């Protein structure tokens, strides 16, 4: 018997939730997540990098793709979760499953910070006919997870221009130029790889990924960085201040979003979490476009190209030595 599953169901009953959804994600839609965010692993015991758990009062399923069928079958044994093999004949998608099991006028719960807005809207549409209510401020796994690992707060460091090939000031200027083209007053950026690229900073908040847990809100004359200030030493703080960056506590993004009124907000709905988009006032107009930084960082400057060549040489030498050994 999965005690964690029973505790979750008890909370669901208290909150009048008919189903609860747990994806593999952090607040930033990252491909890989830190230990703090591994709620699905905590709940199901499945350790693969992709999968979504759905729990109802009398059923529990774990959806994953073909890479993990064998592993998931082993790890889900006696967990109370049934493996749902995505893409296989006769296996419903999560939306189809919920359409079937949700009662008329039922309530679906999830933590809106770990579901991207596109997925959230897809669930809304799929369950519209059944008049299902979505409750997106429910971090139920967080409530039952004793001794949950702390949110990562690794030190932030500056990537010098000799490696970046372009100053952060110029990158921010270019970003504002793109905002102007799209007539956007505000840009909300939550993808951490874009943020570290834009500011020429690096960290270590996810193993093997040099990212920093943070959010950014940019206007034509303001730049807000929502971050755990404990990760910044005086040198990094001075550097960021020099770029015109105003520092705010990491979680304050949600309150700030609520204060935006009558503005055009540029964001990528597939890369921004459901809670942020739903906290926007109805007077705001969303400009749903790919984050301008995504295209900008894909076009490598001469310094980056040179450094990539050097990295490939080092990598090739290491690989050759390993094969020889």
């Amino acid at each position: 018997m999965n005690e964690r599953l029973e505790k979750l169901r008890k909370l669901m009953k208290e909150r009048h939730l008919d189903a609860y959804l747990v994806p593999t994600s952090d607040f930033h839609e990252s491909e890989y997540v830190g230990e703090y965010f591994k709620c699905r692993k905590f709940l199901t015991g499945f350790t693969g990098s992709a999968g979504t758990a759905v729990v109802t009062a009398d059923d529990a399923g774990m959806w994953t793709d073909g890479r993990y069928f064998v592993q998931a079958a082993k790890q889900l044994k006696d967990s109370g979760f049934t493996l749902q093999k995505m893409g296989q004949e006769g296996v419903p998608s999560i939306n189809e499953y919920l359409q079937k099991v949700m009662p008329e006028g039922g309530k679906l719960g999830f933590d809106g910070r770990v579901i991207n807005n596109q997925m959230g809207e897809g669930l809304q549409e799929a369950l519209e006919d059944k008049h299902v209510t979505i409750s997106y401020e429910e971090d139920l796994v967080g409530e039952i997870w004793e001794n949950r690992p702390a949110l990562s707060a690794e030190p932030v460091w500056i990537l010098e221009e000799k490696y970046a090939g372009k100053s952060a000031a110029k990158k921010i200027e270019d970003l504002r130029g793109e905002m102007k083209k799209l007539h956007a007053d505000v840009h909300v950026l939550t993808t951490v790889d874009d943020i570290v690229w834009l500011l020429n900073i690096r960290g270590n908040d996810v193993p093997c990924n040099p990212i920093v847990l943070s959010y950014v809100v940019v206007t034509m004359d303001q730049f807000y960085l929502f971050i755990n200030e404990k990760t910044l030493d005086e040198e990094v703080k001075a550097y960021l201040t020099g770029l015109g960056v105003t520092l705010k506590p990491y979680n304050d993004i949600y309150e700030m979003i609520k204060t935006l009124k009558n503005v055009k907000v540029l964001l990528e709905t597939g890369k921004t979490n459901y809670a942020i988009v739903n906290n926007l006032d109805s007077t705001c107009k969303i400009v749903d476009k790919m984050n301008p930084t995504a295209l900008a960082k894909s076009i490598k400057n001469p310094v980056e190209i040179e450094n990539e060549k050097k990295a490939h040489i080092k990598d090739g030498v290491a690989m050759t030595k390993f094969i020889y050994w």
Side-chain angles (χ1 to χ4, degrees), residues 96-123:
E96 287 165 349
Y97 171 80
L98 287 169
Q99 278 171 334
K100 189 181 167 189
V101 301
M102 287 298 283
E104 179 72 30
K107 202 172 177 187
L108 169 66
F110 53 72
D111 182 351
R113 297 170 300 173
V114 295
I115 297 266
N116 76 59
N117 190 64
Q118 268 184 7
M119 184 181 182
E121 283 188 351
L123 288 162

Side-chain angles (χ1 to χ4, degrees), residues 122-297:
L123 288 162
Q124 260 175 287
E125 283 168 28
L127 302 170
E128 210 170 9
D129 290 349
K130 283 196 161 180
H131 307 102
V132 167
T133 309
I134 286 182
S135 185
Y136 68 87
E137 291 178 333
E138 307 280 3
D139 180 16
L140 300 192
V141 179
E143 290 183 41
I144 62 170
W145 192 345
E146 289 170 27
N147 306 315
R148 184 178 189 172
L151 198 62
S152 182
E154 292 286 317
V156 175
W157 46 277
I158 302 159
L159 184 74
E160 293 174 60
E161 210 176 311
K162 67 178 179 182
Y163 301 114
K166 191 176 186 178
S167 71
K170 181 73 178 91
K171 290 178 181 180
I172 294 167
E173 187 190 317
D174 290 348
L175 173 61
R176 286 190 169 125
E178 291 301 314
M179 286 169 63
K180 215 173 247 178
K181 282 182 200 170
L182 296 164
H183 308 290
D185 306 296
V186 183
H187 177 37
V188 177
L189 185 63
T190 64
T191 40
V192 280
D193 52 330
D194 287 294
I195 292 169
V196 297
W197 176 85
L198 181 63
L199 291 170
N200 285 347
I201 56 173
R202 295 291 187 269
N204 194 28
D205 282 334
V206 176
C208 309
N209 288 265
I211 57 93
V212 176
L213 291 175
S214 54
Y215 305 93
V216 157
V217 173
V218 190
T219 68
M220 284 304 165
D221 52 8
Q222 294 289 331
F223 191 114
Y224 299 100
L225 176 65
F226 299 83
I227 192 167
N228 179 350
E229 267 201 62
K230 288 178 186 165
T231 64
L232 309 173
D233 63 20
E234 291 312 312
E235 184 198 1
V236 178
K237 277 185 190 173
Y239 164 75
L240 291 168
T241 306
L243 288 170
V245 171
T246 303
L247 299 172
K248 297 265 187 191
Y250 178 62
N251 285 312
D252 281 13
I253 177 81
Y254 297 93
E255 287 309 309
M256 184 190 223
I257 288 294
K258 289 175 186 172
T259 66
L260 299 175
K261 303 270 193 299
N262 294 304
V263 287
K264 275 191 175 178
V265 182
L266 169 64
L267 54 81
E268 187 175 345
T269 57
K271 297 274 187 172
T272 309
N273 74 47
Y274 187 82
I276 283 179
V277 178
N278 278 269
N279 277 340
L280 280 170
D281 190 74
S282 59
T283 59
C284 296
K285 185 177 187 297
I286 293 173
V287 181
D288 180 12
K289 296 276 183 193
M290 185 170 78
N291 292 324
T293 40
L295 186 59
K297 71 182 166 70

Side-chain angles (χ1 to χ4, degrees), residues 9-25:
R9 283 189 170 130
K10 190 167 176 262
L11 278 183
M12 284 169 64
K13 201 172 182 181
E14 285 170 20
R15 311 279 164 88
H16 308 290
L17 297 174
D18 299 288
Y20 190 73
L21 192 142
V22 186
T24 307
S25 188

Side-chain angles (χ1 to χ4, degrees), residues 16-70:
H16 308 290
L17 297 174
D18 299 288
Y20 190 73
L21 192 142
V22 186
T24 307
S25 188
D26 61 10
F27 302 157
H28 309 274
E29 288 308 302
S30 307
E31 186 177 358
Y32 303 102
V33 301
E35 291 302 316
Y36 174 87
F37 293 105
K38 293 185 178 176
C39 293
R40 189 260 303 143
K41 173 189 165 188
F42 168 82
L43 189 63
T44 66
F46 169 60
T47 59
S49 69
T52 301
V54 181
V55 178
T56 66
D58 48 18
D59 192 25
M62 221 291 305
W63 277 255
T64 192
D65 61 68
R67 293 172 295 170
Y68 292 115
F69 291 167
V70 174

